[in-house]
Amino acid sequence: MGDEASRGSAAGRTSWLNRVSPFLASLRGYDTTRLKKDLVGALTVTALHIPEGMAYAQLAGLPPQAALYSTPAALALYALFGSSRQLIIAVSASVSVLSAATVGALAQQGSPRFVALTAALALVAGAVAVLAGVLKLGRVAQFFSSSVLSGFVFGLALIIAIKQVPKLLGIEGAKGGFFERLGFILTHLGQTHALTLGVGASSIAALLLLGRVSRRIPAALAVLVLGIAVSSLLHLDAKGVAIVGHIPAGLVPPQLPDVGLGDLVKLLPGACGIALVAFAEAIGPARMFAAKHGYEVDPNRELVGLGAANLGGGIFRGFGMGCSLSKSAANDQAGSTTQVSSLVTAGLTLLVALFLTGLFRALPEATLGAIVVVAILGMMDVKALVRLARLRRADFLGAAVALVAVLAFDVLPGLLIAVGVSLFLTVYRASKPRMSELGRVPGTLDLAATHRESSAITLPGLHVFRPEEGLFFANATSLRDEVLARVRDAKAPVREVLLDLELTDDLDVPGADMLAGLHEDLSHRGITLALARVHAPTLRFLERTGVLAKVGRQNVYPQVSAGVEAWMAHHESQAWQEWRLIRDGLYLLRSRVDEAGAALHGEERHRQEDLLLRLDDADTRMRELLRNLPHPASDDDSRSPTH
């Protein structure tokens, strides 16, 4: 018992640790082959990160070396607490720009206060993201339509790419949003530096060629080393080719920024924006990588991982962290399989910060731009957009709106528009009245939607409706109008409407008010409203709102069949369809009695045979009755079961 208890306790601790740190679960079956791939991924990401991090630090309004202060902690913390195995959470252009805009309204760029507020902003953004993850608000990802997200990710990739084009052409001065940069590039093509263009074009060609030759070759790393070697040997900088240049080295100890509570309150809106942008940037690529490699990502764990990364960046006097599409794509292309790649990248970044920054001095910026452009090609999924356009225009329209919004209004407004489009599509789809009328399948007591089962039989005077989604504010009015329209257009007078509310788990006030109004509208027409399959929480809410008292508890049934039986018991019409239902019920009862008879003996056997004779007699008389009753020509009595 003691050993079993110890094993159970150990298993519980392991399970808890795996939930806290998905990284531990990813290490199952880890071997040297996977380690080699992760090391290659780490080398590639490190090579991309150093110069790019310096540039993004300047976007955030900080000195270049700030990237070396903050990213090692961010990389390590996300690796431990995030759930994606290929995603790289480090510097992000969109987060950096948003950080500069938020802090720039409170302090002069370059001042010590600006640096302190930038670090504080990262800490607040991290706290917001962690809190959202702990409260399990990752469900907000449900409102990010995958179609809309594909357009959003495509737009982000284009923004990153357009920022690299001047590096490939040797053009300087491009600023602003996507279209401003594009216009500047098109109007300044005459200023293209031929040698820089040659370096960029040859780098792209080498990357694509190596990628086709073998995926085992770390193409980005090989081209990066080759670019540095050629630049050093030929002194390309002296010939007008821009190079990365000097990168300051050094580290700072962790410390809390010296800001007041009032400053934190002022930073809160921008921090929420950074948390949202970082999450939106991360969740799409994270899901893409997870689907590609066959594992699951947890949106709540992603929020916690992103929050931890920003906390790490802020405490080391850095700036806000987010998802790097280019480095994530490069990491995946290099074959990385686990978060070990991020941990090794963090260690390598520390080493570079202390000892190796001089190695990147001669790296042509055109080669760096080529690596980034080729790395993000996978994010520009043209096939996905074409597929959406071919299969469903509404999904393609959502993706196109998100893509154009990101390009036209920048990342944060584009994100808000993308979320708004997703929510609009969700509410619009829910607001359309999707409601089925139920009828009985001949020969059974089962109910089916009449538009799916053409032979389904309805009872005259009774209409059974089932909303195909939960009843709530967005569709309440539409469903009410649909019910009244079908009642008005019915061929025979309607005496009762039975609503199947099985799909309504959480009724809201507008939904309850709609049921009360529907009851009154039907009552004025002499029609009874009845409800079936009402879940307990919904029933309690109907009672609290007074709707149950209006409808009448006697008109609420546990099953739709119970409502149908009650209808037949309280009405004397006994139309042909009702007799058919009774006869099919008798047949099913006879089948059950006949099956049970195989195990009976003696007196019980005689009773069973007597019951079968009586059921046969009732069936014969019912056949005679059905022959004398008028019935629809489409429903031939010969289709009912015989014995």
Side-chain angles (χ1 to χ4, degrees):
M1 291 292 291
D3 292 341
E4 291 181 2
S6 298
R7 286 195 296 270
S9 177
R13 288 194 298 271
T14 301
S15 177
W16 180 83
L17 286 173
N18 288 339
R19 288 196 300 272
V20 172
S21 178
F23 167 69
L24 299 176
S26 70
L27 293 180
R28 293 173 185 165
Y30 199 76
D31 54 24
T32 54
T33 301
R34 297 173 70 186
L35 176 61
K36 290 179 181 178
K37 293 180 178 180
D38 287 338
L39 290 177
V40 171
L43 289 170
T44 304
V45 172
T46 302
L48 288 171
H49 166 66
I50 299 302
E52 191 175 278
M54 301 300 166
Y56 288 173
Q58 292 178 321
L59 284 178
L62 299 178
Q65 61 269 27
L68 300 178
Y69 300 161
S70 54
T71 52
L75 286 162
L77 288 170
Y78 176 79
L80 293 175
F81 297 107
S83 60
S84 176
R85 301 174 186 177
Q86 282 76 33
L87 208 64
I88 297 297
I89 301 300
V91 292
S92 162
S94 54
V95 171
S96 299
V97 171
L98 184 57
S99 174
T102 302
V103 179
L106 303 176
Q108 179 66 35
Q109 183 171 323
S111 66
R113 177 170 167 76
F114 187 95
V115 174
L117 287 174
T118 300
L121 178 63
L123 287 173
V124 177
V128 168
V130 169
L131 181 61
V134 171
L135 295 177
K136 299 188 182 301
L137 297 183
R139 71 185 72 177
V140 72
Q142 299 175 29
F143 298 107
F144 296 165
S145 163
S146 58
S147 301
V148 174
L149 273 178
S150 64
F152 178 72
V153 171
F154 200 117
L156 284 178
L158 286 175
I159 288 176
I160 294 172
I162 201 68
K163 291 180 178 179
Q164 307 306 314
V165 173
K167 295 181 182 180
L168 299 174
L169 302 178
I171 298 175
E172 297 183 358
K175 296 180 181 179
F178 177 84
F179 293 107
E180 289 84 359
R181 289 176 180 270
L182 179 61
F184 181 89
I185 292 169
L186 293 177
T187 56
H188 290 76
L189 286 176
Q191 298 178 10
T192 300
H193 188 262
L195 185 55
T196 300
L197 177 60
V199 171
S202 59
S203 298
I204 291 177
L207 286 165
L208 296 176
L209 180 61
L210 288 174
R212 288 189 176 185
V213 170
S214 175
R215 292 191 176 185
R216 295 183 177 182
I217 299 175
L221 183 60
V223 171
L224 183 121
V225 172
L226 182 62
I228 293 174
V230 171
S231 176
S232 300
L233 290 173
L234 300 181
H235 303 288
L236 293 181
D237 56 329
K239 300 176 181 179
V241 176
I243 60 174
V244 171
H246 177 65
I247 300 176
L251 294 175
V252 296
Q255 64 183 55
L256 292 174
D258 184 17
V259 296
L261 180 60
D263 292 325
L264 296 179
V265 173
K266 293 176 182 178
L267 292 173
L268 185 58
C272 292
I274 287 176
L276 183 60
V277 167
F279 180 59
E281 281 185 336
I283 193 64
R287 284 176 167 168
M288 291 170 59
F289 291 136
K292 177 180 178 180
H293 296 283
Y295 65 91
E296 296 292 331
V297 293
D298 181 353
N300 296 313
R301 297 309 314 169
E302 287 303 292
L303 281 169
V304 172
L306 286 163
N310 275 280
L311 290 172
I315 204 169
F316 280 92
R317 291 172 55 188
F319 52 100
M321 298 288 110
C323 169
S324 172
L325 290 178
S326 58
K327 288 185 283 294
S328 297
N331 189 43
D332 180 55
Q333 288 182 355
S336 176
T337 61
T338 69
Q339 300 94 321
V340 168
S341 173
S342 288
L343 290 175
V344 175
T345 300
L348 292 175
T349 302
L350 287 174
L351 291 176
V352 169
L354 292 172
F355 309 111
L356 304 175
T357 54
L359 293 178
F360 296 92
R361 182 188 176 282
L363 173 64
E365 289 194 358
T367 298
L368 179 62
I371 293 173
V372 172
V373 168
V374 173
I376 63 167
L377 286 179
M379 299 298 176
M380 302 179 191
D381 198 343
V382 177
K383 290 183 178 179
L385 295 182
V386 172
R387 177 173 176 269
L388 292 176
R390 186 179 70 252
L391 296 180
R392 195 167 185 270
R393 290 184 179 180
D395 287 337
F396 173 75
L397 179 61
V401 169
L403 193 160
V404 173
V406 171
L407 298 182
F409 303 107
D410 214 348
V411 178
L412 182 56
L415 171 65
L416 296 177
I417 292 173
V419 173
V421 169
S422 294
L423 290 174
F424 172 78
L425 293 175
T426 301
V427 174
Y428 177 75
R429 188 175 298 132
S431 67
K432 297 175 68 176
R434 295 191 302 155
M435 186 172 64
S436 300
E437 183 173 2
L438 303 182
R440 184 180 61 84
V441 179
T444 73
L445 299 182
D446 298 331
L447 295 171
T450 55
H451 68 277
R452 297 192 185 98
E453 181 60 55
S454 59
S455 63
I457 303 170
T458 58
L459 299 182
L462 174 66
H463 280 219
V464 183
F465 296 126
R466 179 181 64 204
E468 296 298 340
E469 61 273 311
L471 179 61
F472 71 119
F473 73 92
N475 61 12
T477 301
S478 297
L479 287 172
R480 169 185 169 277
D481 294 342
E482 181 71 10
V483 170
L484 295 177
R486 295 199 186 190
V487 168
R488 183 181 61 249
D489 298 338
K491 295 179 180 179
V494 180
R495 301 173 65 181
E496 181 172 311
V497 170
L498 178 60
L499 278 183
D500 179 2
L501 297 182
E502 181 191 19
L503 298 180
T504 303
D505 289 321
D506 185 18
L507 188 67
D508 57 11
V509 173
D513 291 343
M514 185 280 281
L515 291 176
L518 180 61
H519 165 75
E520 294 177 2
D521 290 334
L522 293 175
S523 295
H524 293 156
R525 294 171 170 83
I527 301 172
T528 301
L529 174 64
L531 307 175
R533 297 205 283 186
V534 183
H535 295 289
T538 300
L539 187 63
R540 288 193 295 268
F541 190 72
L542 290 175
E543 187 172 15
R544 287 173 52 201
T545 55
V547 177
L548 184 60
K550 292 181 179 181
V551 173
R553 191 177 291 272
Q554 72 278 7
N555 292 323
V556 179
Y557 303 101
Q559 298 295 330
V560 176
S561 58
V564 174
E565 293 167 7
W567 157 262
M568 294 178 59
H570 292 104
H571 296 81
E572 299 178 356
S573 63
Q574 301 299 310
W576 177 86
Q577 291 92 337
E578 298 176 33
W579 284 115
R580 275 285 299 271
L581 188 151
I582 295 172
R583 185 195 163 206
D584 288 344
L586 285 173
Y587 169 74
L588 293 174
L589 176 60
R590 189 195 186 285
S591 300
R592 300 295 182 269
V593 173
D594 196 17
E595 292 172 0
L600 299 178
H601 302 281
E603 185 65 24
E604 291 181 346
R605 178 69 174 178
H606 290 304
R607 290 178 181 174
Q608 182 254 358
E609 291 175 351
D610 181 60
L611 178 58
L612 287 174
L613 289 173
R614 278 189 270 175
L615 290 173
D616 288 342
D617 182 59
D619 182 69
T620 300
R621 283 186 279 119
M622 201 158 291
R623 280 172 176 271
E624 183 66 26
L625 175 65
L626 287 170
R627 276 196 292 267
N628 295 328
L629 285 174
H631 57 83
S634 61
D635 288 301
D636 186 2
D637 186 51
S638 63
R639 288 182 305 177
S640 52
T642 59
H643 54 272

